[in-house]
Amino acid sequence: MSFQLTSEQEMIRLMARDFAKKELEPYADKRDQEEIFPEDVVKKMGEVGLLGMMVPPEYGGSGAGAVSYCLALQEIAYECASTAVTMSVANLSAEPLLRFGDEEQKCKYLVPLASGKMLGSFAVTEPGAGSDPGSMKTRAEDKGGYYLVNGTKVFITNGSYAGVINLIARTDPEKGSRGLSAFIVEKDLPGVLVGNKEDKMGLRASNTVELIFEDCKVPRENLLGREGLGFKIAMVALDSGRIGIASQSLGIAQACLDEAIKYAKTRRQFGRLISSFQAIQWMIADMATQIEAANWLTLSAADRKDRGLAFTKEASMAKLFASETANKAAYKALQIHGGYGYMKEFKIERLYRDARATSIYEGTSEIQRVVIAREVLRG
Ligand code: CAA
């Protein structure tokens, strides 16, 4: 078996690395500390094709595919995990339209989303519906020519800056997860309000807000697929999204390892570099091994997606293992830094906070295990 990246995939990785070095690395700490969302940088990401990587060129995307997307997202996350989640949700937002949109919807919304002219967001989670989106309450009532939407969505990445929102809402109160539908909602529609901006532990240069829908009239033609398909559309989009979060986790994990190595090779204690101690070497060996394994799981899920094979189980495995790897790597790398790691002047402090979200959003590690177990038991 051989897994060789194509020259195009290598090129995209290098392009993303250069972009991240120039646009992210010098400013990542300041943006984190001052909670600055880099709107201009996100626009540039659109211009270089990083926001519609799985969308074919005829719909404004770069058509680079899932493997290239993984490679690029890792590079972005290596320098700035906040910008990586912005990029990941932007790419995820194109997925429902790509898979379920009709020609008119694709031309109107997918083209500006994929080319980065418009930023996308994905509104599923509610105050009382996180791991269990099937219990959501946001209501979309059929009024003939339009749906009347009322409800509140929380933790919405890109919410303040989005041009369109992928909204999942309840069209049938009796049918549980089969009573949900998906809509494309223009953000400047009357009745769409941006609520609280979240004060997060990490990923502070990403935008996370509450979105409130108050008697918002969403035109009938903005329904995706048909009524009742909302839960499936969300799950299909999340399958892809989870490959993105696995890649973001890998970028963070690699940055943790590199910071740990750099520190261990300069810090002296007991008259020796601490990299010469076996206790430190074992931590570095574990980090490197787990990153390698997470990388293969993630690329394998992405490769299956590119080849049109089922990848629900593989995406959840990649997301579970890579996000847990990022958390373990952040813990160990900070431990290697000792007291200095706890101080804001060292990069590892930011990485430690950023890593924490990866095993929570787009399905907690516990939810990934539910998905994996179901798929494995189904055979
Ligand atoms: N693809 C297609 N269809 C799927 C699917 C998938 N991956 N997973 C489930 N379905 C279908 C099922 O086949 C079933 O179809 P029928 O009704 O026709 O039988 C239907 O959906 C319901 O499925 P389940 O019975 O399995 O649903 P469930 O209520 O037991 O939930 C779950 C399953 C996997 C736990 C799901 O609820 C889940 O993934 N929860 C986590 C939610 C999540 O990840 N939220 C993240 C929010 S977005 C975010 O975080 C973005 C951000 O800003 C960073």
Side-chain angles (χ1 to χ4, degrees):
M1 188 201 88
S2 80
F3 192 104
Q4 195 77 38
L5 295 179
T6 64
S7 55
E8 194 199 336
Q9 287 163 344
E10 288 286 10
M11 230 170 58
I12 288 171
R13 172 153 68 183
L14 287 179
M15 181 275 286
R17 184 174 298 167
D18 288 348
F19 184 94
K21 274 263 165 288
K22 184 165 161 245
E23 302 284 352
L24 303 176
E25 195 259 347
Y27 317 105
D29 279 330
K30 184 177 163 66
R31 287 176 186 150
D32 168 68
Q33 280 156 27
E34 298 175 19
E35 289 186 89
I36 301 167
F37 180 83
E39 219 180 332
D40 52 330
V41 176
V42 175
K43 276 207 181 81
K44 284 185 199 166
M45 290 173 88
E47 285 159 18
V48 299
L50 290 171
L51 301 186
M53 294 191 70
M54 285 163 292
V55 178
E58 62 264 34
Y59 293 118
S62 59
V67 168
S68 296
Y69 171 58
C70 285
L71 301 170
L73 195 47
Q74 282 181 44
E75 298 296 336
I76 300 295
Y78 184 85
E79 301 298 356
C80 178
S82 290
T83 308
V85 74
T86 306
M87 172 177 160
S88 168
V89 171
N91 277 278
L92 160 69
S93 300
E95 205 69 15
L97 268 159
L98 183 63
R99 298 285 304 275
F100 298 93
D102 61 31
E103 202 50 33
E104 209 172 307
Q105 291 169 332
K106 284 181 182 170
C107 293
K108 188 166 177 193
Y109 298 113
L110 185 56
V111 171
L113 273 179
S115 58
K117 292 197 173 69
M118 209 185 242
L119 194 59
S121 67
F122 187 63
V124 177
T125 305
E126 296 183 1
S131 289
D132 178 19
S135 67
M136 70 172 62
K137 293 204 161 47
T138 295
R139 188 78 169 94
E141 280 176 85
D142 187 351
K143 297 286 186 185
Y146 64 90
Y147 287 87
L148 191 66
V149 178
N150 279 289
T152 299
K153 297 287 177 179
V154 292
F155 306 154
I156 308 306
T157 303
N158 298 346
S160 305
Y161 298 90
V164 287
I165 304 155
N166 277 277
L167 173 73
I168 311 292
R170 180 164 299 289
T171 40
D172 189 330
E174 312 295 327
K175 287 194 177 156
S177 62
R178 288 184 178 176
L180 304 181
S181 302
F183 301 91
I184 293 293
V185 180
E186 295 182 21
K187 233 287 274 330
D188 55 10
L189 218 55
V192 182
L193 309 167
V194 176
N196 284 337
K197 176 172 175 275
E198 300 298 343
D199 186 9
K200 306 192 296 290
M201 171 186 181
L203 302 174
R204 291 177 70 80
S206 71
N207 175 256
T208 313
V209 295
E210 192 179 44
L211 288 178
I212 301 152
F213 298 86
E214 264 178 21
D215 287 336
C216 174
K217 292 178 181 173
V218 177
R220 168 166 287 279
E221 61 265 25
N222 285 31
L223 174 72
L224 272 183
R226 55 176 166 76
E227 272 191 29
L229 266 192
F231 191 85
K232 273 199 185 161
I233 293 177
M235 291 300 122
V236 166
L238 280 167
D239 283 346
S240 286
R242 287 165 184 166
I243 296 179
I245 301 305
S247 308
Q248 181 206 24
S249 305
L250 268 163
I252 298 172
Q254 187 63 49
C256 290
L257 175 60
D258 290 353
E259 288 303 304
I261 292 169
K262 197 165 76 189
Y263 187 81
K265 282 182 161 180
T266 52
R267 175 74 170 166
R268 298 185 82 85
Q269 290 291 277
F270 303 100
R272 294 156 62 180
L273 286 174
I274 64 168
S275 59
S276 68
F277 292 115
Q278 200 175 48
I280 304 295
Q281 291 172 358
W282 283 17
M283 285 197 260
I284 285 172
D286 284 348
M287 287 156 83
T289 306
Q290 283 158 5
I291 289 169
E292 186 75 17
N295 191 35
W296 286 113
L297 274 176
T298 306
L299 287 176
S300 146
D303 179 56
R304 288 183 69 87
K305 178 169 159 68
D306 279 343
R307 287 193 288 138
L309 301 172
F311 63 95
T312 297
K313 179 186 74 180
E314 290 76 9
S316 279
M317 285 177 165
K319 202 271 184 185
L320 170 65
F321 195 80
S323 65
E324 298 279 323
T325 294
N327 276 279
K328 285 179 194 154
Y331 181 91
K332 289 194 172 97
L334 196 149
Q335 193 70 15
I336 288 171
H337 280 71
Y340 286 109
Y342 201 62
M343 305 301 149
K344 286 203 179 283
E345 73 179 277
F346 280 81
K347 183 177 170 185
I348 190 60
E349 187 272 343
R350 167 164 59 88
L351 292 169
Y352 186 86
R353 287 184 287 106
D354 287 349
R356 194 62 192 86
T358 61
S359 54
I360 297 173
Y361 55 28
E362 299 207 15
T364 60
S365 288
E366 293 68 33
I367 290 295
Q368 304 313 322
R369 289 184 173 94
V370 169
V371 175
I372 296 162
R374 282 183 186 179
E375 294 285 325
V376 170
L377 290 167
R378 196 179 290 147

